[in-house]
Amino acid sequence: MQKQISNLDKLTLSNDFLFKHVMLRKRICKHILEELLHTQIADITYLEAEQTIDVYPDSHGIRLDVRIADTANTHYNLEMQVKNPVNRATGKFLLPKRTRYYQAMLDTDMLQKGQDYDELSPTYIIFFCLFDFFQDSQRIYTFKKRCLENMNIELADEAVIMFLNTLGTKGDVSPDIQSLFDYINSNIINSNFTREVADTIVEIKNDKKVRDAYMTYEMRMKDMRDEAHAEGKAEGLAEGKAEGLAEGKAKEKTATAKRLLSMGLSVEDIAKATSLSVEQVEAIKAE
């Protein structure tokens, strides 16, 4: 138990667990949205923090850090992204298509609640990234759909994706947003706003309910890691078994081909009998 408490005490805002709990403080979250979008928001409502949406039984569920709606019925999904995920098999980065999937799931979830297409709420998916995904040093990368033939024509589907690059040096952001980036990067407190965030973090870490929730969270993460490890091990064993069977069959075919060659059968007949190619039988004959 002491280890779990110590781990919580070491967390910084870049940790998704702590990020979620800080964003659950309405005053802080609302201020961040207002500073990012240069607008006034009357109030925000938390739809459900860390909500998992499984639209269909066999679909890939998504875990949302914080999902919010304002009084104008604009929906916001805020995510902390520390690492730049990549598919090891293909070498492709996952973040762009991850945002596409998040958007699709959010829209489908709203439609399942009885809305028509024209009632879909405006949405902002906002990723706080501790890396520069697009490598252009922009502090904020904002994406909307536009016509390639005429970039002045916007699709106006009211879906916006924003990547906040905490390492960025280009583009204007408000002083409070820049101070938040500095705080996320290096825990530097250089504004009244980040002082408020830091004080809130101390308060959160001293909350017994949060400590208990973090212990549950850690156990759940451990279970997920153990399950993934077990699945990987089982998959590796299955692949090894399949490779072993294939190798055994290949050796058996080679041995059969050698026996038939010693009996004087033609290469073509042996190829038909063993399902080997003529070239493979020729190679065995030449050994």
Side-chain angles (χ1 to χ4, degrees):
M1 180 173 179
Q2 183 61 39
K3 182 177 182 294
Q4 300 291 343
I5 293 175
S6 177
N7 283 344
L8 175 61
D9 291 334
K10 294 177 182 178
L11 296 186
T12 64
L13 188 57
S14 62
N15 176 270
D16 59 350
F17 178 88
L18 191 56
F19 172 78
K20 178 195 75 172
H21 280 275
V22 171
M23 291 302 106
L24 288 175
R25 301 302 174 100
K26 183 180 289 189
R27 173 183 165 83
I28 291 176
C29 187
K30 178 173 171 289
H31 183 66
I32 290 173
L33 292 175
E34 289 178 331
E35 294 290 294
L36 280 176
L37 305 176
H38 308 289
T39 188
Q40 293 294 313
I41 297 174
D43 196 12
I44 58 175
T45 302
Y46 292 94
L47 302 177
E48 186 176 349
E50 201 174 330
Q51 177 187 15
T52 298
I53 297 178
D54 290 298
V55 178
Y56 302 108
D58 58 348
S59 69
H60 180 75
I62 58 174
R63 182 177 61 81
L64 305 180
D65 282 352
V66 183
R67 189 177 172 200
I68 303 157
D70 64 18
T71 49
N73 200 34
T74 299
H75 288 218
Y76 308 90
N77 171 217
L78 279 67
E79 302 284 331
M80 178 60 70
Q81 192 71 38
V82 175
K83 297 180 180 180
N84 189 6
V86 63
N87 185 321
R88 294 180 181 178
T90 64
K92 293 183 179 180
F93 292 105
L94 303 178
L95 202 54
K97 288 190 177 179
R98 181 179 169 189
T99 63
R100 172 178 164 181
Y101 189 73
Y102 273 36
Q103 185 64 60
M105 293 298 98
L106 288 172
D107 288 344
T108 306
D109 187 55
M110 281 188 275
L111 285 175
Q112 283 192 330
K113 292 176 171 57
Q115 290 182 302
D116 292 327
Y117 293 118
D118 61 345
E119 295 178 300
L120 283 173
S121 302
T123 59
Y124 285 83
I125 296 177
I126 302 172
F127 277 82
F128 288 77
C129 298
L130 275 70
F131 53 90
D132 187 355
F133 182 85
F134 302 98
Q135 298 183 357
D136 191 45
S137 300
Q138 299 292 336
R139 290 182 171 91
I140 299 178
Y141 299 93
T142 303
F143 292 87
K144 296 181 180 181
K145 296 183 180 70
R146 292 189 179 275
C147 175
L148 293 179
E149 289 72 23
N150 184 346
M151 295 299 287
N152 291 321
I153 300 175
E154 184 183 329
L155 184 59
D157 60 353
E158 298 185 306
V160 180
I161 308 292
M162 297 179 70
F163 297 90
L164 311 184
N165 171 24
T166 63
L167 303 176
T169 56
K170 296 180 182 177
D172 294 330
V173 294
S174 72
D176 278 355
I177 292 299
Q178 183 57 57
S179 69
L180 180 65
F181 287 176
D182 295 338
Y183 184 72
I184 291 173
N185 290 334
S186 53
N187 243 20
I188 294 174
I189 298 171
N190 55 17
S191 70
N192 290 334
F193 179 57
T194 48
R195 168 52 61 191
E196 180 182 358
V197 171
D199 290 344
T200 299
I201 288 175
V202 172
E203 181 183 334
I204 288 170
K205 289 180 177 181
N206 288 328
D207 188 322
K208 184 179 184 304
K209 289 183 179 179
V210 175
R211 288 184 174 274
D212 292 343
Y214 182 67
M215 292 176 66
T216 302
Y217 168 84
E218 281 279 88
M219 287 187 286
R220 187 177 65 189
M221 291 298 103
K222 182 179 182 301
D223 289 344
M224 290 175 64
R225 289 192 296 268
D226 290 346
E227 182 178 341
H229 177 72
E231 289 178 356
K233 186 176 181 180
E235 184 178 338
L237 288 172
E239 289 177 356
K241 185 176 180 180
E243 289 175 2
L245 288 172
E247 185 178 346
K249 288 182 179 179
K251 288 182 177 179
E252 182 180 343
K253 287 182 178 181
T254 299
T256 300
K258 287 180 177 180
R259 286 197 300 272
L260 295 177
L261 282 168
S262 67
M263 295 168 61
L265 272 69
S266 70
V267 169
E268 289 75 12
D269 287 340
I270 295 172
K272 290 178 182 178
T274 60
S275 298
L276 294 170
S277 68
V278 171
E279 291 76 11
Q280 287 174 313
V281 177
E282 288 281 8
I284 294 171
K285 183 179 180 181
E287 290 178 357

mmCIF file of all heavy atoms in Angstrom, residues 100-136:
data_model
loop_
_atom_site.group_PDB
_atom_site.id
_atom_site.type_symbol
_atom_site.label_atom_id
_atom_site.label_comp_id
_atom_site.label_asym_id
_atom_site.label_seq_id
_atom_site.Cartn_x
_atom_site.Cartn_y
_atom_site.Cartn_z
ATOM 1 N N ARG A 100 -9.414 10.047 -35.701
ATOM 2 C CA ARG A 100 -10.515 9.726 -36.613
ATOM 3 C C ARG A 100 -11.493 8.765 -35.946
ATOM 4 O O ARG A 100 -12.715 8.927 -36.041
ATOM 5 C CB ARG A 100 -9.936 9.110 -37.892
ATOM 6 C CG ARG A 100 -10.960 8.541 -38.867
ATOM 7 C CD ARG A 100 -10.252 8.009 -40.090
ATOM 8 N NE ARG A 100 -11.100 7.129 -40.879
ATOM 9 C CZ ARG A 100 -10.699 6.510 -41.993
ATOM 10 N NH1 ARG A 100 -9.471 6.690 -42.440
ATOM 11 N NH2 ARG A 100 -11.518 5.721 -42.651
ATOM 12 N N TYR A 101 -10.949 7.772 -35.255
ATOM 13 C CA TYR A 101 -11.798 6.792 -34.586
ATOM 14 C C TYR A 101 -12.541 7.424 -33.413
ATOM 15 O O TYR A 101 -13.730 7.165 -33.206
ATOM 16 C CB TYR A 101 -10.939 5.617 -34.115
ATOM 17 C CG TYR A 101 -11.743 4.438 -33.598
ATOM 18 C CD1 TYR A 101 -12.433 3.621 -34.489
ATOM 19 C CD2 TYR A 101 -11.809 4.145 -32.239
ATOM 20 C CE1 TYR A 101 -13.168 2.541 -34.037
ATOM 21 C CE2 TYR A 101 -12.536 3.066 -31.780
ATOM 22 C CZ TYR A 101 -13.221 2.264 -32.686
ATOM 23 O OH TYR A 101 -13.960 1.199 -32.231
ATOM 24 N N TYR A 102 -11.854 8.265 -32.650
ATOM 25 C CA TYR A 102 -12.502 8.959 -31.532
ATOM 26 C C TYR A 102 -13.691 9.765 -32.031
ATOM 27 O O TYR A 102 -14.776 9.749 -31.431
ATOM 28 C CB TYR A 102 -11.498 9.893 -30.839
ATOM 29 C CG TYR A 102 -10.662 9.240 -29.765
ATOM 30 C CD1 TYR A 102 -10.222 7.932 -29.897
ATOM 31 C CD2 TYR A 102 -10.293 9.942 -28.622
ATOM 32 C CE1 TYR A 102 -9.448 7.343 -28.918
ATOM 33 C CE2 TYR A 102 -9.518 9.361 -27.634
ATOM 34 C CZ TYR A 102 -9.097 8.059 -27.789
ATOM 35 O OH TYR A 102 -8.341 7.476 -26.813
ATOM 36 N N GLN A 103 -13.476 10.503 -33.121
ATOM 37 C CA GLN A 103 -14.554 11.328 -33.666
ATOM 38 C C GLN A 103 -15.738 10.469 -34.089
ATOM 39 O O GLN A 103 -16.902 10.791 -33.799
ATOM 40 C CB GLN A 103 -14.042 12.128 -34.866
ATOM 41 C CG GLN A 103 -15.063 13.106 -35.439
ATOM 42 C CD GLN A 103 -15.417 14.191 -34.450
ATOM 43 O OE1 GLN A 103 -14.561 14.940 -34.015
ATOM 44 N NE2 GLN A 103 -16.692 14.263 -34.074
ATOM 45 N N ALA A 104 -15.462 9.371 -34.776
ATOM 46 C CA ALA A 104 -16.530 8.485 -35.233
ATOM 47 C C ALA A 104 -17.310 7.906 -34.058
ATOM 48 O O ALA A 104 -18.542 7.836 -34.081
ATOM 49 C CB ALA A 104 -15.939 7.359 -36.091
ATOM 50 N N MET A 105 -16.604 7.501 -33.021
ATOM 51 C CA MET A 105 -17.274 6.911 -31.874
ATOM 52 C C MET A 105 -18.102 7.945 -31.108
ATOM 53 O O MET A 105 -19.206 7.650 -30.638
ATOM 54 C CB MET A 105 -16.249 6.267 -30.933
ATOM 55 C CG MET A 105 -15.548 5.047 -31.498
ATOM 56 S SD MET A 105 -16.668 3.666 -31.870
ATOM 57 C CE MET A 105 -16.903 3.887 -33.649
ATOM 58 N N LEU A 106 -17.589 9.165 -30.979
ATOM 59 C CA LEU A 106 -18.349 10.216 -30.306
ATOM 60 C C LEU A 106 -19.645 10.502 -31.059
ATOM 61 O O LEU A 106 -20.714 10.633 -30.454
ATOM 62 C CB LEU A 106 -17.505 11.488 -30.202
ATOM 63 C CG LEU A 106 -16.348 11.473 -29.206
ATOM 64 C CD1 LEU A 106 -15.493 12.732 -29.377
ATOM 65 C CD2 LEU A 106 -16.848 11.376 -27.777
ATOM 66 N N ASP A 107 -19.546 10.612 -32.382
ATOM 67 C CA ASP A 107 -20.734 10.899 -33.187
ATOM 68 C C ASP A 107 -21.737 9.757 -33.122
ATOM 69 O O ASP A 107 -22.942 9.979 -32.974
ATOM 70 C CB ASP A 107 -20.325 11.147 -34.645
ATOM 71 C CG ASP A 107 -19.618 12.477 -34.828
ATOM 72 O OD1 ASP A 107 -19.710 13.324 -33.917
ATOM 73 O OD2 ASP A 107 -18.969 12.663 -35.875
ATOM 74 N N THR A 108 -21.231 8.532 -33.234
ATOM 75 C CA THR A 108 -22.130 7.373 -33.189
ATOM 76 C C THR A 108 -22.799 7.262 -31.834
ATOM 77 O O THR A 108 -23.985 6.928 -31.734
ATOM 78 C CB THR A 108 -21.352 6.079 -33.504
ATOM 79 O OG1 THR A 108 -20.676 6.231 -34.745
ATOM 80 C CG2 THR A 108 -22.287 4.888 -33.584
ATOM 81 N N ASP A 109 -22.060 7.571 -30.777
ATOM 82 C CA ASP A 109 -22.635 7.534 -29.430
ATOM 83 C C ASP A 109 -23.766 8.553 -29.299
ATOM 84 O O ASP A 109 -24.804 8.266 -28.705
ATOM 85 C CB ASP A 109 -21.544 7.833 -28.401
ATOM 86 C CG ASP A 109 -22.024 7.646 -26.970
ATOM 87 O OD1 ASP A 109 -22.518 6.546 -26.651
ATOM 88 O OD2 ASP A 109 -21.918 8.600 -26.169
ATOM 89 N N MET A 110 -23.598 9.737 -29.885
ATOM 90 C CA MET A 110 -24.657 10.747 -29.829
ATOM 91 C C MET A 110 -25.874 10.311 -30.629
ATOM 92 O O MET A 110 -27.013 10.486 -30.210
ATOM 93 C CB MET A 110 -24.122 12.091 -30.348
ATOM 94 C CG MET A 110 -23.283 12.847 -29.340
ATOM 95 S SD MET A 110 -22.855 14.521 -29.890
ATOM 96 C CE MET A 110 -21.384 14.189 -30.865
ATOM 97 N N LEU A 111 -25.639 9.717 -31.805
ATOM 98 C CA LEU A 111 -26.754 9.276 -32.638
ATOM 99 C C LEU A 111 -27.539 8.151 -31.984
ATOM 100 O O LEU A 111 -28.757 8.059 -32.125
ATOM 101 C CB LEU A 111 -26.230 8.813 -34.003
ATOM 102 C CG LEU A 111 -25.813 9.915 -34.976
ATOM 103 C CD1 LEU A 111 -25.210 9.303 -36.232
ATOM 104 C CD2 LEU A 111 -26.992 10.795 -35.339
ATOM 105 N N GLN A 112 -26.847 7.309 -31.244
ATOM 106 C CA GLN A 112 -27.537 6.220 -30.548
ATOM 107 C C GLN A 112 -28.478 6.742 -29.482
ATOM 108 O O GLN A 112 -29.405 6.060 -29.061
ATOM 109 C CB GLN A 112 -26.514 5.269 -29.916
ATOM 110 C CG GLN A 112 -25.866 4.334 -30.920
ATOM 111 C CD GLN A 112 -25.090 3.231 -30.230
ATOM 112 O OE1 GLN A 112 -24.571 3.412 -29.137
ATOM 113 N NE2 GLN A 112 -25.003 2.090 -30.869
ATOM 114 N N LYS A 113 -28.226 7.953 -29.024
ATOM 115 C CA LYS A 113 -29.093 8.553 -28.016
ATOM 116 C C LYS A 113 -30.307 9.242 -28.644
ATOM 117 O O LYS A 113 -31.040 9.964 -27.973
ATOM 118 C CB LYS A 113 -28.294 9.536 -27.150
ATOM 119 C CG LYS A 113 -27.263 8.837 -26.269
ATOM 120 C CD LYS A 113 -26.421 9.830 -25.505
ATOM 121 C CE LYS A 113 -25.548 9.136 -24.460
ATOM 122 N NZ LYS A 113 -24.681 8.114 -25.020
ATOM 123 N N GLY A 114 -30.521 9.040 -29.950
ATOM 124 C CA GLY A 114 -31.749 9.493 -30.582
ATOM 125 C C GLY A 114 -31.642 10.756 -31.399
ATOM 126 O O GLY A 114 -32.655 11.263 -31.892
ATOM 127 N N GLN A 115 -30.434 11.292 -31.612
ATOM 128 C CA GLN A 115 -30.293 12.501 -32.392
ATOM 129 C C GLN A 115 -30.286 12.205 -33.893
ATOM 130 O O GLN A 115 -29.858 11.138 -34.316
ATOM 131 C CB GLN A 115 -28.985 13.222 -32.026
ATOM 132 C CG GLN A 115 -28.977 13.844 -30.640
ATOM 133 C CD GLN A 115 -27.671 14.576 -30.368
ATOM 134 O OE1 GLN A 115 -26.611 13.984 -30.436
ATOM 135 N NE2 GLN A 115 -27.771 15.848 -30.071
ATOM 136 N N ASP A 116 -30.786 13.173 -34.678
ATOM 137 C CA ASP A 116 -30.656 13.092 -36.120
ATOM 138 C C ASP A 116 -29.296 13.668 -36.510
ATOM 139 O O ASP A 116 -28.622 14.308 -35.704
ATOM 140 C CB ASP A 116 -31.774 13.882 -36.809
ATOM 141 C CG ASP A 116 -33.133 13.226 -36.587
ATOM 142 O OD1 ASP A 116 -33.176 11.988 -36.502
ATOM 143 O OD2 ASP A 116 -34.132 13.965 -36.490
ATOM 144 N N TYR A 117 -28.907 13.476 -37.778
ATOM 145 C CA TYR A 117 -27.610 13.954 -38.231
ATOM 146 C C TYR A 117 -27.425 15.443 -37.968
ATOM 147 O O TYR A 117 -26.357 15.882 -37.533
ATOM 148 C CB TYR A 117 -27.426 13.683 -39.734
ATOM 149 C CG TYR A 117 -27.338 12.211 -40.075
ATOM 150 C CD1 TYR A 117 -28.293 11.619 -40.895
ATOM 151 C CD2 TYR A 117 -26.296 11.428 -39.599
ATOM 152 C CE1 TYR A 117 -28.213 10.276 -41.222
ATOM 153 C CE2 TYR A 117 -26.201 10.084 -39.922
ATOM 154 C CZ TYR A 117 -27.171 9.509 -40.734
ATOM 155 O OH TYR A 117 -27.091 8.178 -41.055
ATOM 156 N N ASP A 118 -28.478 16.237 -38.270
ATOM 157 C CA ASP A 118 -28.326 17.676 -38.128
ATOM 158 C C ASP A 118 -28.296 18.123 -36.669
ATOM 159 O O ASP A 118 -28.050 19.283 -36.372
ATOM 160 C CB ASP A 118 -29.437 18.420 -38.881
ATOM 161 C CG ASP A 118 -30.823 18.094 -38.357
ATOM 162 O OD1 ASP A 118 -30.952 17.097 -37.614
ATOM 163 O OD2 ASP A 118 -31.764 18.835 -38.687
ATOM 164 N N GLU A 119 -28.548 17.182 -35.744
ATOM 165 C CA GLU A 119 -28.503 17.502 -34.314
ATOM 166 C C GLU A 119 -27.162 17.148 -33.674
ATOM 167 O O GLU A 119 -26.964 17.373 -32.484
ATOM 168 C CB GLU A 119 -29.620 16.756 -33.564
ATOM 169 C CG GLU A 119 -31.026 17.177 -33.953
ATOM 170 C CD GLU A 119 -32.073 16.365 -33.206
ATOM 171 O OE1 GLU A 119 -32.078 15.126 -33.364
ATOM 172 O OE2 GLU A 119 -32.862 16.965 -32.473
ATOM 173 N N LEU A 120 -26.254 16.576 -34.469
ATOM 174 C CA LEU A 120 -24.940 16.249 -33.921
ATOM 175 C C LEU A 120 -24.278 17.510 -33.375
ATOM 176 O O LEU A 120 -24.233 18.549 -34.042
ATOM 177 C CB LEU A 120 -24.050 15.633 -34.996
ATOM 178 C CG LEU A 120 -24.317 14.169 -35.361
ATOM 179 C CD1 LEU A 120 -23.468 13.766 -36.551
ATOM 180 C CD2 LEU A 120 -24.050 13.260 -34.179
ATOM 181 N N SER A 121 -23.758 17.410 -32.168
ATOM 182 C CA SER A 121 -23.153 18.568 -31.517
ATOM 183 C C SER A 121 -21.802 18.908 -32.143
ATOM 184 O O SER A 121 -21.086 18.019 -32.615
ATOM 185 C CB SER A 121 -22.954 18.279 -30.027
ATOM 186 O OG SER A 121 -24.172 17.953 -29.413
ATOM 187 N N PRO A 122 -21.436 20.191 -32.155
ATOM 188 C CA PRO A 122 -20.060 20.540 -32.508
ATOM 189 C C PRO A 122 -19.098 19.859 -31.534
ATOM 190 O O PRO A 122 -19.403 19.736 -30.341
ATOM 191 C CB PRO A 122 -20.027 22.063 -32.339
ATOM 192 C CG PRO A 122 -21.451 22.494 -32.418
ATOM 193 C CD PRO A 122 -22.252 21.371 -31.827
ATOM 194 N N THR A 123 -17.980 19.383 -32.042
ATOM 195 C CA THR A 123 -17.042 18.653 -31.188
ATOM 196 C C THR A 123 -15.622 19.176 -31.339
ATOM 197 O O THR A 123 -15.207 19.580 -32.423
ATOM 198 C CB THR A 123 -17.043 17.144 -31.505
ATOM 199 O OG1 THR A 123 -16.685 16.957 -32.880
ATOM 200 C CG2 THR A 123 -18.400 16.512 -31.229
ATOM 201 N N TYR A 124 -14.906 19.140 -30.227
ATOM 202 C CA TYR A 124 -13.475 19.431 -30.202
ATOM 203 C C TYR A 124 -12.771 18.251 -29.534
ATOM 204 O O TYR A 124 -13.069 17.930 -28.380
ATOM 205 C CB TYR A 124 -13.172 20.695 -29.401
ATOM 206 C CG TYR A 124 -13.517 21.985 -30.089
ATOM 207 C CD1 TYR A 124 -14.815 22.488 -30.054
ATOM 208 C CD2 TYR A 124 -12.545 22.714 -30.767
ATOM 209 C CE1 TYR A 124 -15.139 23.675 -30.691
ATOM 210 C CE2 TYR A 124 -12.855 23.909 -31.398
ATOM 211 C CZ TYR A 124 -14.160 24.386 -31.359
ATOM 212 O OH TYR A 124 -14.473 25.560 -31.985
ATOM 213 N N ILE A 125 -11.896 17.597 -30.269
ATOM 214 C CA ILE A 125 -11.025 16.582 -29.683
ATOM 215 C C ILE A 125 -9.666 17.237 -29.506
ATOM 216 O O ILE A 125 -9.044 17.669 -30.475
ATOM 217 C CB ILE A 125 -10.943 15.329 -30.558
ATOM 218 C CG1 ILE A 125 -12.311 14.653 -30.639
ATOM 219 C CG2 ILE A 125 -9.893 14.355 -30.018
ATOM 220 C CD1 ILE A 125 -12.353 13.438 -31.544
ATOM 221 N N ILE A 126 -9.211 17.333 -28.253
ATOM 222 C CA ILE A 126 -8.019 18.109 -27.925
ATOM 223 C C ILE A 126 -6.988 17.206 -27.260
ATOM 224 O O ILE A 126 -7.237 16.651 -26.186
ATOM 225 C CB ILE A 126 -8.371 19.281 -26.993
ATOM 226 C CG1 ILE A 126 -9.437 20.179 -27.659
ATOM 227 C CG2 ILE A 126 -7.122 20.093 -26.655
ATOM 228 C CD1 ILE A 126 -9.987 21.259 -26.745
ATOM 229 N N PHE A 127 -5.838 17.061 -27.917
ATOM 230 C CA PHE A 127 -4.753 16.253 -27.379
ATOM 231 C C PHE A 127 -3.642 17.165 -26.858
ATOM 232 O O PHE A 127 -3.109 17.987 -27.602
ATOM 233 C CB PHE A 127 -4.178 15.335 -28.457
ATOM 234 C CG PHE A 127 -4.943 14.061 -28.657
ATOM 235 C CD1 PHE A 127 -6.080 14.029 -29.446
ATOM 236 C CD2 PHE A 127 -4.525 12.886 -28.057
ATOM 237 C CE1 PHE A 127 -6.789 12.856 -29.637
ATOM 238 C CE2 PHE A 127 -5.221 11.702 -28.232
ATOM 239 C CZ PHE A 127 -6.351 11.693 -29.027
ATOM 240 N N PHE A 128 -3.291 17.009 -25.593
ATOM 241 C CA PHE A 128 -2.105 17.651 -25.031
ATOM 242 C C PHE A 128 -0.929 16.714 -25.290
ATOM 243 O O PHE A 128 -0.852 15.634 -24.699
ATOM 244 C CB PHE A 128 -2.263 17.871 -23.525
ATOM 245 C CG PHE A 128 -3.231 18.952 -23.152
ATOM 246 C CD1 PHE A 128 -4.601 18.734 -23.209
ATOM 247 C CD2 PHE A 128 -2.774 20.199 -22.734
ATOM 248 C CE1 PHE A 128 -5.499 19.729 -22.856
ATOM 249 C CE2 PHE A 128 -3.661 21.199 -22.377
ATOM 250 C CZ PHE A 128 -5.027 20.972 -22.442
ATOM 251 N N CYS A 129 -0.020 17.098 -26.183
ATOM 252 C CA CYS A 129 1.077 16.218 -26.581
ATOM 253 C C CYS A 129 2.409 16.728 -26.045
ATOM 254 O O CYS A 129 2.734 17.910 -26.207
ATOM 255 C CB CYS A 129 1.153 16.113 -28.100
ATOM 256 S SG CYS A 129 -0.321 15.400 -28.870
ATOM 257 N N LEU A 130 3.186 15.837 -25.442
ATOM 258 C CA LEU A 130 4.519 16.185 -24.948
ATOM 259 C C LEU A 130 5.573 15.929 -26.019
ATOM 260 O O LEU A 130 6.727 15.639 -25.725
ATOM 261 C CB LEU A 130 4.850 15.398 -23.683
ATOM 262 C CG LEU A 130 4.328 16.001 -22.367
ATOM 263 C CD1 LEU A 130 2.805 15.896 -22.290
ATOM 264 C CD2 LEU A 130 4.938 15.293 -21.173
ATOM 265 N N PHE A 131 5.182 16.014 -27.256
ATOM 266 C CA PHE A 131 6.075 15.826 -28.397
ATOM 267 C C PHE A 131 5.461 16.575 -29.571
ATOM 268 O O PHE A 131 4.264 16.889 -29.579
ATOM 269 C CB PHE A 131 6.237 14.336 -28.737
ATOM 270 C CG PHE A 131 4.910 13.625 -28.918
ATOM 271 C CD1 PHE A 131 4.307 13.561 -30.168
ATOM 272 C CD2 PHE A 131 4.272 13.041 -27.841
ATOM 273 C CE1 PHE A 131 3.089 12.917 -30.332
ATOM 274 C CE2 PHE A 131 3.044 12.399 -27.991
ATOM 275 C CZ PHE A 131 2.452 12.335 -29.241
ATOM 276 N N ASP A 132 6.281 16.882 -30.564
ATOM 277 C CA ASP A 132 5.817 17.619 -31.737
ATOM 278 C C ASP A 132 5.546 16.629 -32.862
ATOM 279 O O ASP A 132 6.437 16.286 -33.635
ATOM 280 C CB ASP A 132 6.869 18.648 -32.163
ATOM 281 C CG ASP A 132 6.375 19.565 -33.276
ATOM 282 O OD1 ASP A 132 5.250 19.339 -33.774
ATOM 283 O OD2 ASP A 132 7.111 20.492 -33.647
ATOM 284 N N PHE A 133 4.307 16.158 -32.957
ATOM 285 C CA PHE A 133 3.975 15.104 -33.910
ATOM 286 C C PHE A 133 4.270 15.528 -35.348
ATOM 287 O O PHE A 133 4.784 14.742 -36.150
ATOM 288 C CB PHE A 133 2.504 14.702 -33.780
ATOM 289 C CG PHE A 133 2.095 13.581 -34.687
ATOM 290 C CD1 PHE A 133 2.299 12.261 -34.306
ATOM 291 C CD2 PHE A 133 1.545 13.823 -35.933
ATOM 292 C CE1 PHE A 133 1.953 11.216 -35.149
ATOM 293 C CE2 PHE A 133 1.194 12.783 -36.781
ATOM 294 C CZ PHE A 133 1.402 11.478 -36.381
ATOM 295 N N PHE A 134 3.949 16.776 -35.689
ATOM 296 C CA PHE A 134 4.081 17.232 -37.072
ATOM 297 C C PHE A 134 5.425 17.905 -37.351
ATOM 298 O O PHE A 134 5.708 18.295 -38.485
ATOM 299 C CB PHE A 134 2.926 18.180 -37.418
ATOM 300 C CG PHE A 134 1.577 17.546 -37.243
ATOM 301 C CD1 PHE A 134 0.836 17.770 -36.094
ATOM 302 C CD2 PHE A 134 1.066 16.693 -38.203
ATOM 303 C CE1 PHE A 134 -0.402 17.170 -35.914
ATOM 304 C CE2 PHE A 134 -0.170 16.090 -38.031
ATOM 305 C CZ PHE A 134 -0.902 16.321 -36.883
ATOM 306 N N GLN A 135 6.222 18.074 -36.306
ATOM 307 C CA GLN A 135 7.593 18.586 -36.426
ATOM 308 C C GLN A 135 7.668 19.925 -37.169
ATOM 309 O O GLN A 135 8.539 20.154 -38.008
ATOM 310 C CB GLN A 135 8.484 17.546 -37.114
ATOM 311 C CG GLN A 135 8.589 16.251 -36.322
ATOM 312 C CD GLN A 135 9.527 15.236 -36.939
ATOM 313 O OE1 GLN A 135 10.087 15.451 -38.002
ATOM 314 N NE2 GLN A 135 9.710 14.115 -36.264
ATOM 315 N N ASP A 136 6.717 20.805 -36.836
ATOM 316 C CA ASP A 136 6.730 22.145 -37.414
ATOM 317 C C ASP A 136 6.829 23.218 -36.331
ATOM 318 O O ASP A 136 6.689 24.399 -36.609
ATOM 319 C CB ASP A 136 5.476 22.367 -38.267
ATOM 320 C CG ASP A 136 5.548 23.634 -39.104
ATOM 321 O OD1 ASP A 136 6.613 23.874 -39.714
ATOM 322 O OD2 ASP A 136 4.562 24.386 -39.119
#
